[in-house]
Amino acid sequence: KPGEQKHPKEPSSLQCMHLAVVACGDRLEETLIMLKSAVLFSNRRLCFHIFAEDSLKPEFEKKLKEWPSSYTKKFESNFYPITFSVGNAQEWKKLFKPCAAQRLFLPVILKDVDSLLYVDTDVLFLRPIDDIWHLLREFNSTQLAAMAPEHEVPKIGWYSRFARHPYYGPTGLNSGVMLMNLTRIRSTQFKNSLIPGGLTWEEMLYPLYQKYKNYITWGDQDLLNIIFYFNPECLYVFPCQWNYRPDHCMYGSNCRGAEREGVSILHGNRGVYHDDKQPTFKALYEVIRDFPFEDNLFQSLYYPLQSKFLDTVHTLCGRIPQVFLKQIEKTMKKVYENRVIVYLGANHRY
């Protein structure tokens, strides 16, 4: 219809939500727990795109095959070696954390994938991926990626206090959860600080890195901030509950969306799943890690979580347990309603 807003087309495979992760070094277990949280709650089929060092691939395959068939049928997994299509591979590898820069090359490598959700290994889904996937439909005609702000409060944000390079908006972006329309990224000419005209995504990456490499602290995340500083119309900003980090509660609560709706995606950066600095984050990680797949979700996941949270109420993040539990509770109720309806439908002929 004339004047109607055009939305990006649905992802290439209607049956599949594409999820990408880059795992190197000692990130095997963390990545598996992230994938487990994705599979536990999702409704539609998932396609995993796992970029990993060669030594990790057999272990990933082995562990994923050990999951019960009721879950393995919900996803397919594709493995890729770590590769960088432009510039110096060793330089890219050393940028920030091992292999993290790989994510910048996803539009170039995954040529047949239309849309994709990229997450860091230290992410946990507390509700179906379907819900963040639906945000693709909210992109306007120029938006091609979505991220959450690095901070809600400029005076305590990292970029607003310390950055020595351009960054998006008042507080910069956190790239640990990034939703992308790869088709649009591949076909866009990006404005930049290198030449007066536009450059494609692939043409821009290495020169941009060369220009700013002495000023960036957070590697690929800083490069994404620089790109969207020059191309703000290309970014859809989603609220902080879709990328909830210790920073949102350790300085006092500063993610209003999570207080209203609960945490949707937990991002345990700063290594908080593995030390005792933020016991609430660690508790969530351990409960999902230890959950026996076929068990009752309320009994073996929700109740252990509630009791572990009781031990964390003395901490800044632990004093707001409902923020962490709200979405999980909602999601579990839905899972049970669906199962009961399916069960009744199969056993009763009206």
Side-chain angles (χ1 to χ4, degrees):
K1 290 173 196 168
E4 193 173 63
Q5 180 71 60
K6 271 196 180 153
H7 289 289
K9 60 184 181 192
E10 267 281 292
S12 53
S13 156
L14 284 171
Q15 278 67 48
C16 206
M17 297 179 293
H18 295 271
L19 177 68
V21 65
V22 179
C24 284
D26 58 358
R27 297 299 177 113
L28 178 84
E29 184 194 68
E30 206 172 73
T31 308
L32 286 163
I33 310 308
M34 179 276 289
L35 297 173
K36 183 179 184 181
S37 73
V39 171
L40 278 179
F41 300 133
S42 290
N43 301 315
R44 259 172 46 195
R45 187 170 170 75
L46 290 158
C47 286
F48 295 150
H49 300 277
I50 301 166
F51 291 78
E53 290 167 312
D54 297 342
S55 57
L56 292 180
K57 187 187 168 201
E59 197 61 19
F60 264 119
E61 288 178 321
K62 178 173 164 272
K63 294 281 187 195
L64 291 172
K65 278 182 188 145
E66 287 168 5
W67 291 2
S69 62
S70 54
Y71 286 95
T72 55
K73 69 183 183 197
K74 287 176 72 176
F75 68 88
E76 64 179 64
S77 41
N78 308 284
F79 292 88
Y80 308 84
I82 303 294
T83 50
F84 304 99
S85 62
V86 290
N88 180 318
Q90 285 315 109
E91 264 188 291
W92 283 123
K93 249 185 179 169
K94 290 186 191 131
L95 182 64
F96 192 46
K97 287 183 182 155
C99 312
Q102 179 69 75
R103 141 261 289 282
L104 297 170
F105 294 87
L106 298 179
V108 183
I109 298 166
L110 301 175
K111 287 188 165 64
D112 297 327
V113 176
D114 175 62
S115 297
L116 179 79
L117 177 64
Y118 163 88
V119 293
D120 286 348
T121 58
D122 52 8
V123 155
L124 292 170
F125 294 95
L126 305 187
R127 67 190 280 183
I129 289 189
D130 309 60
D131 298 340
I132 191 168
W133 194 254
H134 289 152
L135 295 180
L136 286 163
R137 295 180 193 161
E138 295 188 20
F139 284 16
N140 67 22
S141 58
T142 60
Q143 289 164 339
L144 47 76
M147 285 182 271
E150 171 65 20
H151 226 284
E152 307 309 298
V153 186
K155 68 171 190 267
I156 52 174
W158 192 90
Y159 285 102
S160 35
R161 289 184 298 157
F162 306 117
R164 295 158 61 210
H165 58 76
Y167 58 89
Y168 178 91
T171 59
L173 300 162
N174 183 283
S175 58
V177 179
M178 185 176 179
L179 190 62
M180 294 180 256
N181 182 319
L182 298 183
T183 304
R184 286 190 176 180
I185 290 175
R186 286 187 284 263
S187 62
T188 297
Q189 292 282 319
F190 291 88
K191 297 189 292 290
N192 59 84
S193 58
L194 305 161
I195 62 163
L199 287 169
T200 67
W201 184 266
E202 192 176 14
E203 287 168 343
M204 174 175 59
L205 289 178
Y206 195 60
L208 205 62
Y209 165 66
Q210 286 298 325
K211 177 168 180 177
Y212 291 104
K213 67 179 178 184
N214 296 327
Y215 304 100
I216 59 180
T217 305
W218 307 111
D220 50 315
Q221 176 170 293
D222 289 350
L223 287 176
L224 289 165
N225 265 285
I226 294 164
I227 290 168
F228 289 106
Y229 168 84
F230 290 107
N231 300 272
E233 72 288 351
C234 293
L235 190 77
Y236 176 98
V237 179
F238 51 67
C240 46
Q241 64 264 33
W242 291 103
N243 185 348
Y244 189 90
R245 283 158 278 124
D247 297 53
H248 287 120
C249 48
M250 61 195 265
Y251 304 115
S253 190
N254 58 52
C255 176
R256 296 239 170 91
E259 284 166 36
R260 276 194 314 273
E261 295 171 32
V263 174
S264 298
I265 294 179
L266 192 75
H267 183 183
N269 64 346
R270 303 174 180 266
V272 292
Y273 296 148
H274 313 292
D275 61 28
D276 297 314
K277 289 181 181 150
Q278 298 299 337
T280 317
F281 281 75
K282 190 180 184 183
L284 256 159
Y285 178 79
E286 289 178 347
V287 165
I288 292 174
R289 179 193 68 196
D290 299 340
F291 172 69
F293 271 105
E294 310 257 70
D295 271 27
N296 176 299
L297 278 166
F298 274 104
Q299 220 163 343
S300 303
L301 199 148
Y302 188 71
Y303 297 137
L305 205 47
Q306 278 188 316
S307 64
K308 271 189 183 241
F309 277 0
L310 289 174
D311 300 331
T312 76
V313 288
H314 62 286
T315 67
L316 274 168
C317 293
R319 69 197 167 83
I320 41 171
Q322 196 45 36
V323 165
F324 295 91
L325 291 168
K326 201 178 274 188
Q327 279 300 335
I328 274 200
E329 191 176 356
K330 205 169 152 187
T331 300
M332 285 186 194
K333 281 183 177 154
K334 264 193 195 150
V335 168
Y336 275 104
E337 280 163 20
N338 291 346
R339 280 190 194 159
V340 168
I341 290 162
V342 168
Y343 176 78
L344 286 173
N347 287 281
H348 292 273
R349 299 277 176 257
Y350 295 102

